[in-house]
Amino acid sequence: NAGVTQTPKFRILKIGQSMTLQCTQDMNHNYMYWYRQDPGMGLKLIYYSVGAGITDKGEVPNGYNVSRSTTEDFPLRLELAAPSQTSVYFCASSLSASGRRGHEQYFGPGTRLTVT
Amino acid sequence: KNEVEQSPQNLTAQEGEFITINCSYSVGISALHWLQQHPGGGIVSLFMLSSGKKKHGRLIATINIQEKHSSLHITASHPRDSAVYICADPETSGSRLTFGEGTQLTVNP
């Protein structure tokens, strides 16, 4: 299994441009998550999904959109990129809720995004 | 609001020393998570525990449910243990994790 894969690894955007960060998992996990990690800071949840067709906002959803048309894929869309969105973005997945049944989250390698 | 606090924020040790990282959380449902972020940025899950103690190699995690406190210990620390260690606590719904800001550990040879 490849686990959780993310593309691209690095990207530089100009202010106002848009892009989609891709995330795919091959473990048949129901739950998928998008986090951002700013330098020296903890992980912040952007959006998450508990299954295909179901998405919900996390702590910091403004400026982002997601969709979950299949179990495997959970793309994150940035519209009108701003310097405040410069961060490292991690996608993760888990079989079920990480709290109630204690399923661990598997993380992708991250995408380093710079907006200038 | 779920809050997760870790201490210390930064920790420098000499090779061979015993390391302790602490985590206090406010909600606490079924499983407190410990994760490791490598210097290259990759994140892996180390432990999930809801009671007592778990051990994996030189890493030991303990939890006190009543006090909502967990510790991660590293015995006979090695430079390859240098990483950021993160604890995470489930939200009330159990669907999401709240992460601490991490403890940056540096082990010098």
Side-chain angles (χ1 to χ4, degrees):
Chain A
N1 287 351
V4 180
T5 57
Q6 291 183 239
T7 57
K9 286 188 168 51
F10 304 92
R11 184 71 187 268
I12 298 174
L13 280 182
K14 294 191 187 308
I15 294 171
Q17 287 185 321
S18 300
M19 76 164 293
T20 299
L21 281 66
Q22 301 291 346
C23 175
T24 299
Q25 53 90 10
D26 62 0
M27 297 173 283
N28 204 31
H29 283 174
N30 293 312
Y31 283 58
M32 295 187 75
Y33 310 84
W34 273 106
Y35 298 99
R36 60 177 287 173
Q37 186 179 38
D38 299 332
M41 305 294 285
L43 293 159
K44 302 290 185 189
L45 182 65
I46 305 172
Y47 271 96
Y48 69 105
S49 169
V50 302
I54 307 169
T55 62
D56 209 348
K57 295 178 180 178
E59 290 178 83
V60 290
N62 291 344
Y64 307 95
N65 278 301
V66 293
S67 59
R68 184 96 182 270
S69 56
T70 67
T71 299
E72 296 78 18
D73 300 307
F74 191 40
L76 177 72
R77 178 82 178 160
L78 278 73
E79 305 282 1
L80 300 175
S84 61
Q85 292 178 305
T86 294
S87 191
V88 180
Y89 291 83
F90 289 98
C91 179
S93 73
S94 63
L95 181 61
S96 182
S98 294
R100 296 204 178 280
R101 295 184 183 178
H103 285 120
E104 64 182 307
Q105 292 190 13
Y106 293 81
F107 284 79
T111 294
R112 190 173 297 273
L113 176 68
T114 302
V115 182
T116 62
Chain B
K1 184 187 171 195
N2 195 9
E3 293 182 348
V4 179
E5 293 186 359
Q6 290 185 236
S7 63
Q9 280 189 309
N10 294 283
L11 182 55
T12 301
Q14 288 300 122
E15 184 172 356
E17 286 185 4
F18 182 82
I19 305 290
T20 295
I21 299 169
N22 296 300
C23 175
S24 296
Y25 57 93
S26 62
V27 175
I29 304 181
S30 62
L32 190 286
H33 296 240
W34 281 101
L35 306 100
Q36 180 191 55
Q37 186 167 23
H38 301 140
I43 300 172
V44 295
S45 178
L46 295 175
F47 294 105
M48 293 178 298
L49 68 166
S50 55
S51 65
K53 178 166 71 174
K54 283 192 174 181
K55 185 174 188 288
H56 181 66
R58 294 179 295 104
L59 273 61
I60 304 165
T62 63
I63 192 165
N64 183 318
I65 299 293
Q66 286 75 26
E67 296 185 4
K68 292 190 170 61
H69 181 270
S70 177
S71 293
L72 178 68
H73 306 284
I74 305 175
T75 61
S77 59
H78 189 276
R80 66 175 173 265
D81 297 325
S82 297
V84 176
Y85 293 85
I86 304 166
C87 70
D89 182 39
E91 299 270 340
T92 305
S93 69
S95 301
R96 303 151 43 159
L97 294 175
T98 297
F99 294 84
E101 295 201 351
T103 295
Q104 172 71 63
L105 172 65
T106 303
V107 182
N108 294 318

